[in-house]
Amino acid sequence: KARHVTLARFLVSLSIPQVGEETAYLLADTFKSIENLKDAEKAERDREQSRQDMLVDLAIDGIELARAS
């Protein structure tokens, strides 16, 4: 018979730095499943990439503007 491990206990078992029992329980309560947690992490990576892309675009626009002057 398979043993059921809660999301919070699973997160604690990973020994992630700065994620103790309290943080693990908060994450489990917020996200409810490992799939939701993975989706949130991917969405954050996508947002970060978008921010980086915007900064690169701004830098390129600034260089082009400086060259045009």
Side-chain angles (χ1 to χ4, degrees), residues 45-69:
R45 276 197 324 259
D46 291 346
R47 279 192 294 276
E48 182 61 31
Q49 185 62 48
S50 293
R51 287 190 286 266
Q52 290 173 355
D53 291 346
M54 281 184 7
L55 290 173
V56 168
D57 289 345
L58 285 171
I60 291 170
D61 289 347
I63 291 168
E64 289 173 352
L65 185 61
R67 285 184 181 162
S69 298

Side-chain angles (χ1 to χ4, degrees), residues 14-68:
L14 295 176
S15 299
I16 301 169
Q18 307 301 316
V19 178
E21 281 189 38
E22 187 173 342
T23 302
Y25 280 98
L26 287 170
L27 288 167
D29 188 51
T30 300
F31 293 101
K32 310 292 187 218
S33 72
I34 194 70
E35 291 80 14
N36 291 343
L37 187 58
K38 286 172 26 182
D39 290 345
E41 194 271 337
K42 181 184 179 322
E44 181 57 31
R45 276 197 324 259
D46 291 346
R47 279 192 294 276
E48 182 61 31
Q49 185 62 48
S50 293
R51 287 190 286 266
Q52 290 173 355
D53 291 346
M54 281 184 7
L55 290 173
V56 168
D57 289 345
L58 285 171
I60 291 170
D61 289 347
I63 291 168
E64 289 173 352
L65 185 61
R67 285 184 181 162

